Amino acid sequence: ELKVEQNPLFLSMQEGKNYTIYCNYSTTSDRLYWYRQDPGKSLESLFVLLSNGAVKQEGRLMASLDTKARLSTLHITAAVHDLSATYFCAVDIYTGTASKLTFGTGTRLQVTL
Amino acid sequence: EPEVTQTPSHQVTQMGQEVILRCVPISNHLYFYWYRQILGQKVEFLVSFYNNEISEKSEIFDDQFSVERPDGSNFTLKIRSTKLEDSAMYFCASSGIGQSYFGPGTRLTVL
């Protein structure tokens, strides 16, 4: 059974600081996603990582993938309050007829002023 | 930009009642999914649907659950006899050959 673990589960950081969220998964994957979720809202896709060594950046967020280590990271640079949300990684396994996302536990990020 | 839509946004029901959650996937997508998220927890896969049949389902998706694509545009999730533990946010998603796009969710509250 595929296991996807994130850490930390909760992260409180000050504006302007840097931090990294980690996502470990237990089996080979076809794709890895990072999503953002605001309270009571849906899942907003941030990044799709397709291959080993993939790195993607958007604004203050940068995601990377190491398929050999089965590890993805989401790095936050110079955090701002607007980044406060819950971040999920999700591993995509293509089953032959459809994909199936297995989500991590989520990291609740709180950026304080 | 095309998007997945879901209705209703919030459904309150009594335990034991049947509910139908509705979704309109993105029009040229072929794969459809339901996920659920119990409050404060992670998102869990329920079922995938392709070519008018279930491709895969999770352990959560027991005999109380069913899915249907009744008319070529809607995709529904039916829960026959709701339990308190079915209270959750239910997300519909659709995909082509790439990533899945999620709808805004239906919050189901079972009293």
Side-chain angles (χ1 to χ4, degrees):
Chain A
E1 182 191 335
L2 172 60
K3 290 192 185 335
V4 183
E5 294 179 348
Q6 280 181 244
N7 69 81
L9 297 182
F10 178 72
L11 175 56
S12 179
M13 56 192 296
Q14 286 184 316
E15 276 202 333
K17 299 291 187 186
N18 305 332
Y19 209 83
T20 300
I21 300 170
Y22 298 88
C23 173
N24 288 94
Y25 54 98
S26 59
T27 64
T28 305
S29 162
D30 299 301
R31 296 183 188 122
L32 190 137
Y33 296 88
W34 283 96
Y35 288 91
R36 169 183 172 143
Q37 186 180 41
D38 291 296
K41 303 292 185 183
S42 188
L43 297 154
E44 176 191 352
S45 177
L46 296 174
F47 301 107
V48 181
L49 301 168
L50 300 176
S51 59
N52 188 43
V55 177
K56 291 202 173 175
Q57 182 160 8
E58 180 76 32
R60 300 174 189 274
L61 301 177
M62 183 174 71
S64 66
L65 178 62
D66 180 343
T67 57
K68 291 177 184 168
R70 294 179 187 157
L71 170 69
S72 180
T73 61
L74 181 67
H75 186 73
I76 302 150
T77 302
V80 291
H81 182 66
D82 286 351
L83 290 179
S84 297
T86 298
Y87 293 85
F88 291 96
C89 64
V91 172
D92 190 354
I93 305 288
Y94 183 69
T95 63
T97 50
S99 76
K100 173 183 169 183
L101 292 175
T102 301
F103 283 80
T105 45
T107 296
R108 189 156 79 87
L109 173 65
Q110 183 176 68
V111 181
T112 56
L113 298 169
Chain B
E1 188 176 323
E3 57 183 19
V4 177
T5 59
Q6 290 184 242
T7 54
S9 57
H10 191 190
Q11 173 93 47
V12 181
T13 190
Q14 296 289 327
M15 192 168 56
Q17 295 296 304
E18 175 183 286
V19 293
I20 297 176
L21 310 183
R22 291 185 166 78
C23 168
V24 179
I26 293 173
S27 62
N28 60 348
H29 283 179
L30 300 175
Y31 304 93
F32 314 113
Y33 312 87
W34 285 100
Y35 290 81
R36 83 167 185 194
Q37 185 181 31
I38 294 170
L39 185 65
Q41 297 187 23
K42 67 178 180 179
V43 179
E44 299 172 290
F45 170 81
L46 290 178
V47 66
S48 59
F49 191 86
Y50 170 71
N51 202 26
N52 281 320
E53 60 183 25
I54 290 174
S55 310
E56 187 168 351
K57 57 184 181 180
S58 71
E59 293 174 352
I60 304 166
F61 195 89
D62 62 21
D63 292 344
Q64 294 298 315
F65 291 88
S66 62
V67 289
E68 195 177 35
R69 188 157 162 80
D71 58 14
S73 62
N74 289 284
F75 179 51
T76 61
L77 174 68
K78 182 194 290 186
I79 310 174
R80 286 191 189 81
S81 177
T82 50
K83 308 184 195 67
L84 295 177
E85 54 265 36
D86 293 328
S87 295
M89 186 76 104
Y90 288 80
F91 293 106
C92 173
S94 70
S95 69
I97 57 170
Q99 67 170 313
S100 297
Y101 292 84
F102 284 80
T106 293
R107 178 166 298 285
L108 176 65
T109 302
V110 182
L111 301 175

